[in-house]
Amino acid sequence: MKATKYLSPGNTNAKTAKNSLKTFIMYLTPGTTNGVNLCPKASKGCLTACLYTAGYAGVYKSVNAARLAKTEQYLQDKPAFIRALSYEIMKQYNKAKKTGEQIAIRLNGTSDIDFVYLLQKYAGLDISTLAPVVYFYDYTKILQKAIRYQNHPNYTVTFSRSESNQAETETAIKLGINVAAVFSGELPQTYLGAPVIDGDKSDILMIYNKGAVLGLKAKGRAKKDTSGFVIQSN
């Protein structure tokens, strides 16, 4: 199976469907699903609770097969994959610019790769030139990645807390970087001194909030987590 389209419409995802901006997401296979770890900092709890197992996409074989096909193409010929991805991004950019819309793109739906760097390296695409038409955003467990892009004009990176990166989580909060954290029950008003907002209301709240904790409620296998990945909130 060969993938012919890399960006999926966000309205197929329960959370991104709530976004105020038309959203596109790229889904690859997470963690070590295909034998290669595309989430290098993923913890045991994260891999177990991965949103890959949540929602309809976690149970439909055809959806997972399409994600695997894209992943294999990325691994087999990275430059060609990135050039094709760049073409698709520009296609959506031109459509949005023509209609006067603003759109959002999340390149790491289920991976943790620096696509911003790769787009520049292999396709000569500087995504900052697409502002203010296109906003890019991602979650990452790589603190240096979040720091690197902290002041980027149209790419927002939120640091993702797990049971094994508490020290880095605290550093991110001190630096004013948004942090995503999963809670078992009702969301607290604050976490480590930072205000907690309901991250399940929209996937692009990170674009409009700085120095906040995006609180997410446990879903799928995360509801049974005992690793500490899910914060016990009641």
Side-chain angles (χ1 to χ4, degrees), residues 10 27 173 200:
Y27 291 107
I173 289 176
D200 286 321

Side-chain angles (χ1 to χ4, degrees), residues 133-166:
V133 177
V134 185
Y135 290 91
F136 292 82
Y137 70 101
D138 271 325
Y139 296 88
T140 186
K141 282 189 171 62
I142 305 171
L143 181 58
Q144 288 306 313
K145 180 179 174 183
I147 294 173
R148 183 184 312 130
Y149 294 110
Q150 186 173 8
N151 298 311
H152 195 282
N154 63 325
Y155 182 44
T156 301
V157 181
T158 294
F159 185 72
S160 184
R161 178 208 170 270
S162 76
E163 79 281 8
S164 61
N165 64 9
Q166 188 66 22

Side-chain angles (χ1 to χ4, degrees), residues 9 22 32 58 69 120 126 152 168-169 173-174 177-178 191 197 203 213 218 231:
K22 185 177 183 179
T32 57
Q120 179 76 65
D126 178 357
H152 195 282
E168 290 179 305
T169 296
I173 289 176
K174 289 178 182 178
I177 295 171
N178 287 343
Y191 179 69
I197 59 177
D203 206 37
V213 171
I231 300 168

Side-chain angles (χ1 to χ4, degrees), residues 63-110:
V63 174
N64 292 337
R67 295 178 181 183
L68 181 59
K70 282 183 283 188
T71 303
E72 290 176 343
Q73 286 174 224
Y74 169 77
L75 294 173
Q76 290 170 9
D77 193 343
K78 188 183 298 183
F81 179 97
I82 296 299
R83 287 192 295 269
L85 173 62
S86 175
Y87 174 82
E88 200 167 328
I89 290 170
M90 291 305 300
K91 183 178 179 180
Q92 296 301 335
Y93 165 77
N94 289 325
K95 282 184 179 180
K97 187 176 182 181
K98 186 176 181 179
T99 58
E101 291 180 281
Q102 288 182 313
I103 62 173
I105 297 178
R106 179 178 169 185
L107 294 174
N108 285 287
T110 43

Side-chain angles (χ1 to χ4, degrees), residues 4 72 114-115 141 208:
T4 57
E72 290 176 343
D114 192 344
F115 283 112
K141 282 189 171 62
Y208 307 112

